[in-house]
Amino acid sequence: MQYHAILIYIMKLYEFEGIELFHAEGIPVPAYALASSPEEAREKAVEIGLPVVIKAQVLTGGRYLAGGVRVAKSPDEVISVARKIFKLSIGGLPVERVIIVREVEIAQEYYLGIIVDGYYGTPMAILSLEGGVSINKIAQERPEVLVSKRISISQGFTASDARRMSREAGLRGQDFTELSNLICSLYNVFRKNDALLTEINPLVRTVDGDYLAMDAKVEIDDSSMYRHTDLSINMQDHISNPLERKAREIGVSYVELDGDIAIIASGAGLGMSSMDIIARTMRPANFLETGGGITADLLYKVMDLVLQKSGIRALFINIYGGINPIHEGAKGVVKYMQEHNVTIPVVAKALGNHQEETWEIFEQHGVHVVKDVSTEKGVELLAHLLGEKP
Amino acid sequence: MSILIDKATRVLVQGITGKTGRTQTKWMLDYGTNVVAGVTPGRGGEVVEGVPVFNTVKEAIAKTGAEASVFFVPPPGVKAAAIETIDAGIKLIVVITEHIPVHDVMEIREYAGDSDAQIIGPTSPGVITVGQAKMGIMPGNMFTPGRIGVISRSGTLSYEISINLATAGLGQSTVVGIGADPVVFTGVSELLGLFEKDDDTDLVVIIGEVGGIQEEKAAEFIDRWMTKPVVAYIAGLNAPEGKKMGHAGAIIQGDGRGTSQSKVAAFREVGVDVAKYPTEVVTLAQKRLKLTNT
C-alpha cells in the first residue's frame, strides 16, 4: 500500500539523476552513460572501457536481488547481459533504461545517509562502516557499526559534527578525512534540493584508495518543487502507473488496488478508513483522496479517473464539507454521470457545510445518499445494492 | 477552559483576504469565535466580514490584543509568516495550509522550540473547543459539547468519529487535528498532557494512521503519565501490504515501528482499547467511562 503521503510528498529520483546532483556537490561519482537498448549499452560500454557494471534504472529497491545489476567483461557480454536486464520487471516496473559504469575493485564498502527524523522533526545523518545492504538490515543485525546524529537545520551540519561522527564510528586516516567531507557534501545535496532522503549505498574505497559513490538515492519533497525549477526533472516521468500519473496531474492522491469498488474520499484518513470497512466484505479498487481543493470540475475529473479502471462494480463517495464546498463537488459528480451514462450503483455519504444542498443534487440524479453519520452504514447500503452479504 | 482555546480567545486570521481565508473567517465567526483581526501584508485597512485587516502581526496585536493565530497563508509564505508571528509573541498558531515544504516545517519547528509558542499543524483541520470557538476549517455541525477530548492525525476522521460519539450522547471538550505530514509541529503526546490536566475532559480519543511513530510514542506517554482513560482508532489497518511509509524513525530503530500492527500492539500493551472501525470508538468509550465511574 502506497499512502497519500508518499504520493504527495516524495518524488524518488532515478539513480542517474541522483548522480548528477551528487556530482554538482563535488561527491566523486563514477563516469556513467545512459542507454535505452542493448546495442546502445554496448556502444557506451566500449567508450567507458570494459569491464563494466550495467544497472537497471527503476524507482524501486531490490535491483540487485532481481538481477538488475550485472557485470559484463566483453562487448558481446554487454549485449547479452543488457538483453536480460531489459526484459526484467523489478517490483512490477519495466526496465526502460540502464546506466553503464566502469567496474571498480572494492576494498571497503560504507553507507552514508541523510534522512528526515519525522518524530523529532530534524534531519539526521547516518554513517555505517558496512554498506551494500539495506540500512534497515544493518540497523537490525549490526547496530554496532552504525552511528547517527540529529542535525539542527538552522545551524546546518558542520565539519566538526562530521568529524565527531567519524571518530565515534572509529574511522582513521584517509577514511576519517574522506568520509567526514563526504557526509557534509551529502547534507548539502539534501538541504539545497529540499530532499527527504539522500543516500550513498555503497560508498566504496577502491583498492587504489579512491572513494566513489557507487549508488545515488535521492528523494525530493514534491511540495518544494515550486522553488526548484532549476532541477531539470520531469516529475510525471517518475510515476509508472498511468492512473496515478493522471491523479498527480489533476492534483489528487490515487493508489490503484486490486478490487472493484471505487472510492472517492475528501481526506486521507477517511479514505483509508473507507477502504478498511469496504475490505471487510468486498474489495476496494483504489484509494483516492481529494484533499481540500474540491470544485465541480475537480470531482468531474476524479469521476473520470476512478471509473477508468475496468470492472468497477460500484462507487462509494465519502466527503465532508469543512474546507470543501461539497455541493459544488456534487454538481461535478452528477454532470459526469449524466454525460457518461453511469449505471453502476453510486452511494454517497456527504456531511458538513452545505450537506442538505449536496444531498438534493445527488438524489435528483440517482445517487444513493446515506444520511447516517457512519461510514459503516454507507458501506452496508452499497453491499445491499450489490446483493452482497452485509 | 478545555484546552488551547475558548470563547474568550482573541483570534487573528493570517491570509484573511484569500478565498479560503474569507470563507472560513465567516464560518468561524458564525460559530462564535472571537475573531478580532486579520493580517495580509499590503492589505492593511481593508475589512473582511467585519474584521479589520492589518499589514503586520505586531500591528494587529497592538490594535486588537490578538493572542492566537490561524494560518490560511499559501505554502511559500508560511515560513516567514510563522517567524513573524512567533517573534510578535503569539502563543498559539494553527496552520491549516497544506503542502508546505518539509524543510520549512523543520525550520519553523526548531525556531518555535526556542520560544513558548505552541504550533498545531501543518495540514491541520484546526482546533475546536466545542460550543465555544474554532480556529480552522472543521464543520461546526459535526461536534457537540461534552467531556471527550479528541486528538486526530486525520481531519475528516475527527469529524466522523465526533459526530458518531455525539449520537451516542458523548460530546467533545476540545478536538485537535494535528495533521499527518511527515513532520508535525505538535505531537500526540504533548496534547495528551494538556488533556490530562484539563478539568473539562474525562476521556481522550486518539485517531491515528499508519506511518510515523506518533502512536508508539503516545503509548509510552500514556503508560507513564495518563490517569484518564484513552481509546484509539488507527486508519489503514486493512490496507494491503506493499510499499511502506519510508519513515525515518522506523528505519533507524530497525524495529518495525510505524506499521498499523505495531501501533495497535503498543496501545493494547498499555491498556488502551483500540477500535477496529470508527464507530467502535463509541462503544469502547462508553465502556471505559462506565468502568471509570463505578
Side-chain angles (χ1 to χ4, degrees):
Chain A
M1 182 71 230
Q2 187 176 19
Y3 288 106
H4 72 295
I6 299 283
L7 286 171
I8 292 176
Y9 297 113
I10 298 175
M11 225 16 115
K12 291 181 181 177
L13 300 194
Y14 287 102
E15 181 186 6
F16 66 90
E17 294 169 326
I19 289 175
E20 292 299 332
L21 294 181
F22 282 9
H23 180 65
E25 205 50 52
I27 295 174
V29 290
Y32 80 93
L34 203 55
S36 312
S37 69
E39 292 69 29
E40 194 184 1
R42 179 178 58 186
E43 195 182 304
K44 299 280 172 68
V46 170
E47 279 170 29
I48 281 177
L50 292 150
V52 294
V53 185
I54 305 170
K55 305 173 85 177
Q57 298 297 287
V58 284
L59 296 172
T60 178
R63 284 185 302 173
Y64 289 84
L65 287 176
V69 179
R70 292 178 188 216
V71 176
K73 295 192 184 331
S74 68
D76 286 346
E77 200 182 354
V78 171
I79 291 271
S80 63
V81 165
R83 272 195 192 129
K84 282 182 196 148
I85 292 178
F86 277 112
K87 278 189 198 137
L88 291 175
S89 156
I90 303 176
L93 303 174
V95 179
E96 285 161 357
R97 284 171 297 199
V98 297
I99 62 167
I100 322 287
V101 296
R102 180 78 186 264
E103 193 190 18
V104 295
E105 271 189 75
I106 295 167
Q108 179 68 40
E109 291 185 308
Y110 305 97
Y111 168 98
L112 295 180
I114 310 289
I115 63 165
V116 171
D117 184 317
Y119 187 75
Y120 291 100
T122 69
M124 182 184 249
I126 306 167
L127 187 166
S128 164
L129 297 177
E130 292 175 11
V133 292
S134 89
I135 192 66
N136 284 323
K137 204 169 151 69
I138 296 170
Q140 269 166 11
E141 294 169 9
R142 303 263 290 146
E144 67 277 10
V145 301
L146 191 148
V147 175
S148 61
K149 187 182 187 311
R150 272 207 286 280
I151 300 168
S152 155
I153 196 162
S154 65
Q155 286 165 25
F157 190 68
T158 62
S160 71
D161 289 335
R163 286 197 297 269
R164 202 169 304 132
M165 274 187 84
S166 297
R167 204 171 300 127
E168 200 185 322
L171 293 173
R172 286 162 187 279
Q174 203 194 355
D175 274 358
F176 178 87
T177 315
E178 293 284 344
L179 267 71
S180 298
N181 288 337
L182 282 171
I183 201 154
C184 286
S185 303
L186 191 62
Y187 180 73
N188 291 340
V189 176
F190 175 89
R191 193 70 180 105
K192 284 182 188 169
N193 296 290
D194 268 295
L196 300 178
L197 173 81
T198 52
E199 192 178 76
I200 309 176
N201 190 20
L203 169 74
V204 307
R205 188 182 72 234
T206 67
V207 291
D208 301 325
D210 293 327
Y211 292 78
L212 278 176
M214 289 307 285
D215 195 1
K217 196 167 167 191
V218 177
E219 294 176 3
I220 307 264
D221 180 358
D222 199 8
S223 298
S224 76
M225 286 315 290
Y226 70 89
R227 59 190 182 199
H228 294 290
T229 45
D230 53 319
L231 277 179
S232 55
I233 288 164
N234 174 10
M235 285 305 175
Q236 288 300 96
D237 180 38
H238 292 67
I239 306 171
S240 57
N241 182 302
L243 293 180
E244 290 172 12
R245 202 156 50 226
K246 190 167 178 234
R248 186 178 188 275
E249 232 170 77
I250 63 179
V252 298
S253 300
Y254 174 92
V255 178
E256 191 170 335
L257 304 170
D258 58 8
D260 51 18
I261 309 293
I263 300 172
I264 296 173
S266 66
L270 192 66
M272 282 194 277
S273 188
S274 303
M275 243 170 56
D276 288 351
I277 295 163
I278 287 170
R280 282 196 291 189
T281 53
M282 295 169 284
R283 289 162 60 234
N286 69 275
F287 165 84
L288 183 137
E289 75 118 343
T290 61
I294 287 184
T295 58
D297 183 51
L298 184 85
L299 278 204
Y300 183 91
K301 288 176 180 157
V302 161
M303 287 290 286
D304 190 48
L305 175 69
V306 299
L307 296 179
Q308 260 181 41
K309 190 171 179 269
S310 63
I312 298 286
R313 287 198 299 147
L315 167 64
F316 186 61
I317 300 174
N318 201 354
I319 51 179
Y320 275 94
I323 199 164
N324 277 317
I326 52 176
H327 57 304
E328 290 297 324
K331 288 176 198 164
V333 170
V334 300
K335 178 165 178 251
Y336 185 89
M337 288 174 66
Q338 280 179 316
E339 288 181 12
H340 294 79
N341 191 25
V342 173
T343 52
I344 57 166
V346 178
V347 173
K349 173 171 150 289
L351 298 169
N353 302 324
H354 299 291
Q355 62 186 28
E356 284 82 8
E357 201 180 331
T358 306
W359 294 343
E360 205 181 311
I361 296 166
F362 277 144
E363 280 172 337
Q364 280 169 1
H365 295 84
V367 175
H368 302 269
V369 175
V370 184
K371 292 175 186 168
D372 193 277
V373 294
S374 81
T375 296
E376 287 96 317
K377 283 274 186 284
V379 174
E380 274 170 32
L381 172 62
L382 187 94
H384 174 75
L385 291 170
L386 288 173
E388 303 264 344
K389 281 180 199 147
Chain B
M1 68 167 272
S2 307
I3 69 166
L4 299 171
I5 59 168
D6 63 17
K7 60 178 182 292
T9 307
R10 290 184 298 276
V11 173
L12 166 67
V13 181
Q14 283 174 256
I16 193 170
T17 53
K19 190 172 168 242
T20 307
R22 271 172 202 278
T23 315
Q24 295 299 329
T25 297
K26 181 180 183 304
W27 292 114
M28 288 189 283
L29 286 165
D30 287 352
Y31 197 74
T33 314
N34 186 18
V35 180
V36 296
V39 163
T40 301
R43 304 285 291 268
E46 292 184 23
V47 175
V48 172
E49 299 290 337
V51 175
V53 180
F54 300 92
N55 286 318
T56 67
V57 177
K58 222 172 175 177
E59 203 186 340
I61 294 173
K63 298 276 169 57
T64 66
E67 54 194 338
S69 177
V70 56
F71 273 39
F72 296 99
V73 178
V78 170
K79 189 171 97 183
I83 289 169
E84 181 197 349
T85 309
I86 294 165
D87 286 347
I90 293 278
K91 297 289 181 280
L92 173 69
I93 302 173
V94 180
V95 180
I96 307 302
T97 313
E98 302 181 290
H99 307 308
I100 303 172
V102 174
H103 282 223
D104 288 4
V105 176
M106 291 194 285
E107 280 187 75
I108 296 166
R109 181 163 147 175
E110 189 177 320
Y111 195 81
D114 297 329
S115 73
D116 52 0
Q118 177 100 53
I119 314 187
I120 307 291
T123 322
S124 167
V127 176
I128 182 167
T129 288
V130 184
Q132 296 195 45
K134 70 168 185 141
M135 293 172 67
I137 59 173
M138 42 252 287
N141 59 345
M142 296 295 108
F143 304 91
T144 307
R147 300 187 57 82
I148 293 188
V150 179
I151 304 167
S152 184
R153 288 179 68 199
S154 154
T156 41
L157 279 180
S158 73
Y159 317 158
E160 171 107 354
I161 288 176
S162 294
I163 196 166
N164 278 284
L165 284 166
T167 52
L170 297 172
Q172 303 86 43
S173 51
T174 302
V175 179
V176 185
I178 68 166
D181 279 21
V183 176
V184 294
F185 297 120
T186 296
V188 175
S189 300
E190 214 173 316
L191 294 165
L192 280 171
L194 297 181
F195 278 125
E196 171 70 13
K197 282 185 282 190
D198 175 35
D199 293 337
D200 295 333
T201 300
D202 293 336
L203 176 147
V204 184
V205 171
I206 298 172
I207 305 167
E209 279 181 22
V210 289
I213 55 166
Q214 285 287 339
E215 293 81 0
E216 287 87 340
K217 288 284 184 181
E220 289 171 22
F221 182 91
I222 290 164
D223 195 33
R224 196 143 172 219
W225 303 108
M226 292 294 285
T227 59
K228 293 179 184 176
V230 179
V231 170
Y233 169 72
I234 314 282
L237 273 180
N238 295 298
E241 276 292 318
K243 292 171 197 164
K244 282 188 190 135
M245 296 286 281
H247 187 263
I251 290 169
I252 281 308
Q253 277 98 23
D255 58 3
R257 288 198 280 182
T259 65
S260 50
Q261 290 80 0
S262 126
K263 292 169 191 305
V264 172
F267 277 139
R268 294 220 165 115
E269 204 167 296
V270 298
V272 172
D273 293 324
V274 184
K276 287 188 197 71
Y277 303 99
T279 48
E280 205 192 343
V281 168
V282 179
T283 45
L284 292 177
Q286 282 171 322
K287 200 180 84 190
R288 287 304 293 263
L289 286 171
K290 226 173 268 165
L291 287 175
T292 314
N293 291 338
T294 48

